[in-house]
Amino acid sequence: MKVWIEQEYCTGDGLCADLCPEVFEMDDDGLAHVREEAHPAVEGEQGMFEVSSDFESSVLDAQAQCAGECIYVKL
Ligand code: SF4
């Protein structure tokens, strides 16, 4: 599945990193991002990463609870 974050809407509360630390982490700027070292970038799609379906449940949980409603998933 493909995952990306619209960071301009991220509140920086860190919930996604708590719920799914294998995929999300907080950056020095206080915003969430997808762990680039663990998930390959989707070619031609800025900020979009290919994430194993092993993490689908926790990613969808983070998406559902994201205060900024800024986590996007394409299954
Ligand atoms: S849950 Fe949403 S608003 Fe909160 S840190 Fe993650 S992306 Fe940002």
Side-chain angles (χ1 to χ4, degrees):
M1 64 182 171
K2 295 172 174 55
V3 180
W4 69 101
I5 297 173
E6 298 286 348
Q7 288 182 313
E8 61 266 40
Y9 301 109
C10 176
T11 68
D13 60 20
L15 190 61
C16 55
D18 289 341
L19 291 171
C20 187
E22 299 87 353
V23 174
F24 303 109
E25 67 181 355
M26 304 306 292
D27 210 344
D28 292 340
D29 60 6
L31 302 176
H33 67 103
V34 176
R35 288 184 177 274
E36 299 180 20
E37 76 283 4
H39 309 285
V42 177
E43 195 172 340
E45 299 286 354
Q46 181 79 20
M48 187 185 290
F49 297 88
E50 190 66 53
V51 174
S52 166
S53 57
D54 293 349
F55 303 118
E56 183 174 317
S57 173
S58 55
V59 167
L60 293 179
D61 194 21
Q63 181 190 37
Q65 298 193 50
C66 173
E69 299 183 357
C70 56
I71 297 174
Y72 292 84
V73 176
K74 193 183 284 185
L75 298 174

